[in-house]
Amino acid sequence: MINVASKGLLTMPRIAIRFDQLDDASWYSPTRAYYHAKLAQIMTAYALALRARGALDVACVRVPAVRLDADRVAALPWILRTLYAPKNRLAIPAERLGETYAALAVRTSTWQEHADPASAGRSALRGIYLDENLRPVDAPASAYDAAARERLWAVSQQAVGDPSWAW
């Protein structure tokens, strides 16, 4: 299973899920919502890997900026084309990211399958959160909080109706 996070999380090392404000519109912004969702992707990947205990290969890819194709850029208003041009030049081609996903599809899991879910820290989870070159990278600190991961799992299960087939 592959989850997708964002390299933009590097700018937010102290980000944490605001469990007590999940439905509070007063702190909402598209950027906050996006990066909280990306943090949740990492935390879910860690929780799933620990629950699956090697029965399922789990990875979360830290995706950098991806280059827009020329037709999509051409369709943007001129001001957005101008603003996006430097970022697009530095971004990786979508095909390169496709190679990353293809390599993940055939990889042999490298993380420690026997990690204790209740105490799994950074070293036990190494090899799950990867950059576009499949190198292990560190997640924001809150992703390593076992209690926060369990709370996210419970909130997610409740949101989908706690289906009987789920863990």
Side-chain angles (χ1 to χ4, degrees):
M1 171 170 188
I2 301 171
N3 283 356
V4 178
S6 172
K7 192 171 185 177
L9 279 171
L10 287 172
T11 65
M12 302 177 182
R14 291 184 178 83
I15 190 172
I17 303 292
R18 295 180 178 205
F19 290 105
D20 298 329
Q21 296 178 303
L22 290 176
D23 295 323
D24 184 351
S26 68
W27 72 273
Y28 175 83
S29 77
T31 301
R32 284 188 188 129
Y34 176 81
Y35 285 112
H36 277 85
K38 294 306 172 183
L39 172 61
Q41 291 288 349
I42 300 167
M43 293 170 70
T44 299
Y46 286 163
L48 184 57
L50 291 166
R51 288 171 187 272
R53 297 274 182 128
L56 175 68
D57 190 16
V58 178
C60 186
V61 179
R62 184 184 76 183
V63 175
V66 179
R67 189 172 303 141
L68 295 178
D69 64 71
D71 291 338
R72 188 168 176 192
V73 172
L76 294 172
W78 73 269
I79 188 72
L80 291 178
R81 280 195 312 269
T82 304
L83 293 172
Y84 198 83
K87 180 179 179 181
N88 208 33
R89 276 193 299 277
L90 296 173
I92 68 168
E95 296 80 14
R96 171 65 187 86
L97 194 54
E99 292 168 5
T100 298
Y101 295 140
L104 274 173
V106 297
R107 85 169 182 162
T108 302
S109 181
T110 58
W111 82 285
Q112 298 176 17
E113 297 172 4
H114 305 293
D116 175 16
S119 62
R122 291 175 190 260
S123 62
L125 297 169
R126 193 133 180 99
I128 296 172
Y129 188 39
L130 308 163
D131 69 10
E132 70 276 13
N133 297 310
L134 301 182
R135 293 181 301 227
V137 291
D138 288 330
S142 63
Y144 299 103
D145 181 340
R149 286 194 310 266
E150 286 304 309
R151 189 167 181 191
L152 177 62
W153 192 273
V155 166
S156 299
Q157 273 194 305
Q158 184 178 17
V160 297
D162 200 10
S164 60
W165 51 264
W167 300 92

